[in-house]
Amino acid sequence: MTSPLRHLTEAGFLGKFYIDGDWRKPIGSVTAAAIVVNPATEQPIADVALGDDDDVDCAIAAARGAFAAWSMTPPAQRAALLDRMHALLLERLELFAQALTCEMGAAITYARRAQVPLAAEHIRVARDNLANYPFIAVRGSTAIMREPIGVCGLITPWNWPLYQITAKVAPAIAAGCTVVLKPSELSPLSALLFAELMDDAGCPPGVFNLVNGTGPIVGAALASHPLVDMISITGSTRAGVLVAQAAAPTVKRVAQELGGKSPNIILPDADLSRAVPLGVAAAFRNLGQSCSAPTRMLVPRSRIEEVETWAAAAASELVVGDPLAESTTHGPIANRPQFERIQTMIGVGLEEGVKLVIGGRGRPDDLRTGFYARPTIFSNVRPDMRIAQEEIFGPVLSIIPYDTVDEAIAIANDTVYGLGAHVQGTDMETARTVAGQIQSGQVHLNYPDWDPNAPFGGYKRSGNGREYGIEGMEEYLETKAVLGFYHSRA
């Protein structure tokens, strides 16, 4: 199979954007390119064109021009496009998996098992939900109509590049919207492959458009543009604030999935042999580069030594190394700035005087090159410490002791974030009660299977709005009430 980089190079896509059903060279004044670096080797592997306001204007004009017709298509027609998208993504799973590995360091086994298949699930769910969605509902004599909101600017991150693209594009298209996608300039290869997929799936010109660029230029242009009706961003809380500020003068809808510092409450009756190793795995999923990663493990103070033993054993089984090796479970951190941020925060933890259970600063001993971080666990962490409050976005877990369940709930909620949470315990009534008191958009009880229909989003500074499932599609719909619609008299 041709490598994704060679495929994109030979097709000429690296220097182009996908606008109005065609691959176009930038028309703006930006002459610099985004340099894509392989995090396993620290070597540049591609130069990707960057756009500016002119390129954004062109893409938005295409999306605006396509909206009238696309918004009126029957749901079955939109579902058929989603069906073709889903089939093509599964057919090209290996191509996308390899792209993710070279652009952001995902272990190839994880890319094949999670990053690509879960992205495909977002398309399938959007297709299936569209088939039965009541776009017109009856309330007495009033018709409640749900209509596509319009042109949507979609801003996606570097940590789950493909997954977040499909989580936004699929429901937007299902709703009848047209879109302009700005992927992260740090991991744009999978987005270019996705644009090719959309073209091959027969997406009508202008319905899907892609412009690569930076947040301060292309992201800001999308957010402030008067012809964009909605912005959906997944990224840092800082980036979300900037997008909301840029969008405010045009009073467009802004959906934000932002930062997190998720708690994992291990209740006193939990089976530590299961709860702790699975908690470590959840915290270090995707190298901890997940906004909902449960990186605060709250444990009964009387059992903290047992927890440390189980946690260290679980972390020691992780294999950090070459992401293309089948034996590797965790590859490198996605980029240098994030690698350096993680190293800084591990240093902060050491300076704060907490107990280092495993890991620490630097690369694993057998690795000399690449943005590889050591899976690190701190214990006896106080809730007010920086490592317990700030999002680190890496393989760093803080074990925090508590004395009562009420105290555990208070610690769990003692954060500016509220994206995800976990609760472990054998008494389900107690676990459910605790879950009901946690301020977060999702709570996972005893490590359930992932549910692509479960709405995902945040409380507090973790954002607003929801993605996934029915609620994810409804973000792209406006509500219209037509009174007297069902009156019998003229």
Side-chain angles (χ1 to χ4, degrees):
M1 186 191 75
T2 302
S3 74
L5 190 57
R6 181 177 178 182
H7 174 82
L8 291 169
T9 301
E10 291 179 347
F13 296 159
L14 295 176
K16 296 178 180 179
F17 308 139
Y18 186 77
I19 298 173
D20 206 16
D22 193 18
W23 290 93
R24 303 183 182 183
K25 291 183 177 180
I27 61 173
S29 59
V30 176
T31 57
I35 300 174
V36 182
V37 174
N38 185 327
T41 64
E42 302 183 43
Q43 295 302 308
I45 57 172
D47 292 349
V48 175
L50 294 174
D52 68 3
D53 294 19
D54 292 333
D55 300 295
V56 172
D57 285 344
C58 186
I60 291 171
R64 178 58 62 187
F67 176 71
W70 182 248
S71 63
M72 297 302 292
T73 54
Q77 183 175 336
R78 303 200 293 270
L81 173 60
L82 290 163
D83 192 55
R84 295 191 296 272
M85 291 162 54
H86 181 254
L88 283 174
L89 183 51
L90 293 180
E91 180 182 308
R92 300 174 186 181
L93 186 149
E94 184 64 20
L95 184 69
F96 277 96
Q98 290 194 22
L100 292 164
T101 295
C102 70
E103 73 181 348
M104 55 80 62
I108 190 65
T109 52
Y110 190 69
R112 292 169 179 155
R113 186 183 76 251
Q115 290 260 8
V116 181
L118 297 185
E121 277 294 276
H122 287 311
I123 302 175
R124 181 193 65 79
V125 165
R127 178 199 66 192
D128 293 352
N129 286 336
L130 172 61
N132 300 305
Y133 188 78
F135 286 95
I136 301 180
V138 180
R139 189 178 301 167
S141 62
T142 296
I144 309 298
M145 298 181 175
R146 306 303 300 273
E147 300 176 341
I149 194 169
V151 174
C152 301
L154 311 179
I155 301 174
T156 55
W158 51 260
N159 58 318
W160 286 85
L162 179 65
Y163 177 93
Q164 286 300 145
I165 288 173
T166 60
K168 298 181 190 297
V169 171
I173 284 179
C177 296
T178 57
V179 305
V180 178
L181 170 68
K182 189 211 88 67
S184 170
E185 69 276 18
L186 298 176
S187 53
L189 304 183
S190 54
L192 291 168
L193 291 174
F194 186 79
E196 180 186 37
L197 180 152
M198 293 298 293
D199 191 67
D200 291 344
C203 182
V207 171
F208 171 87
N209 306 274
L210 178 148
V211 177
N212 280 310
T214 65
I217 297 178
V218 171
L222 278 173
S224 62
H225 204 289
L227 296 182
V228 171
D229 301 289
M230 174 183 172
I231 287 287
S232 177
I233 175 174
T234 297
S236 68
T237 298
R238 179 192 60 80
V241 169
L242 292 173
V243 164
Q245 289 173 336
T250 53
V251 200
K252 58 173 57 72
R253 182 179 299 174
V254 179
Q256 303 166 309
E257 194 265 279
L258 308 176
K261 193 69 178 177
S262 300
N264 185 0
I265 299 179
I266 312 295
L267 292 171
D269 68 342
D271 176 2
L272 296 187
S273 67
R274 180 178 188 273
V276 177
L278 289 179
V280 171
F284 293 167
R285 179 175 61 105
N286 204 38
L287 263 294
Q289 298 169 122
S290 297
C291 45
S292 60
T295 54
R296 293 185 297 147
M297 183 177 287
L298 282 52
V299 307
R301 191 179 303 275
S302 62
R303 306 190 71 183
I304 194 165
E305 292 184 358
E306 294 176 77
V307 169
E308 291 169 357
T309 299
W310 283 110
S316 66
E317 292 179 0
L318 304 180
V319 180
V320 177
D322 178 3
L324 290 173
E326 296 287 335
S327 60
T328 295
T329 62
H330 293 70
I333 298 302
N335 52 72
R336 182 180 296 278
Q338 191 55 36
F339 173 78
E340 293 175 350
R341 159 74 176 170
I342 292 164
Q343 298 305 314
T344 296
M345 291 306 295
I346 291 174
V348 167
L350 295 171
E351 292 166 6
E352 288 182 319
V354 297
K355 180 178 181 180
L356 178 64
V357 176
I358 194 171
R361 282 182 290 204
R363 299 180 179 88
D365 293 339
D366 58 337
L367 297 169
R368 297 289 181 266
T369 303
F371 305 135
Y372 295 98
R374 302 171 68 188
T376 298
I377 300 175
F378 291 115
S379 188
N380 278 315
V381 177
R382 295 196 315 272
D384 62 340
M385 289 179 168
R386 285 184 62 188
I387 57 171
Q389 289 291 326
E390 297 182 23
E391 185 177 41
I392 299 173
F393 223 62
V396 182
L397 174 65
S398 293
I399 298 174
I400 303 172
Y402 67 82
D403 294 304
T404 68
V405 172
D406 286 343
E407 182 189 9
I409 295 169
I411 293 172
N413 290 332
D414 182 22
T415 172
V416 298
Y417 300 112
L419 190 57
H422 291 243
V423 179
Q424 321 306 325
T426 56
D427 182 340
M428 287 304 298
E429 183 176 352
T430 299
R432 294 183 189 113
T433 298
V434 171
Q437 297 179 68
I438 296 176
Q439 299 163 359
S440 67
Q442 278 194 354
V443 182
H444 295 224
L445 302 184
N446 294 320
Y447 307 113
D449 292 337
W450 178 70
D451 182 359
N453 271 301
F456 180 68
Y459 286 29
K460 299 184 280 188
R461 295 187 194 176
S462 286
N464 55 70
R466 292 295 180 266
E467 295 189 305
Y468 313 169
I470 291 290
E471 290 78 6
M473 186 171 73
E474 288 178 336
E475 287 291 330
Y476 298 92
L477 296 171
E478 278 286 17
T479 301
K480 176 188 289 182
V482 183
L483 286 71
F485 191 91
Y486 294 102
H487 281 170
S488 58
R489 65 179 185 274

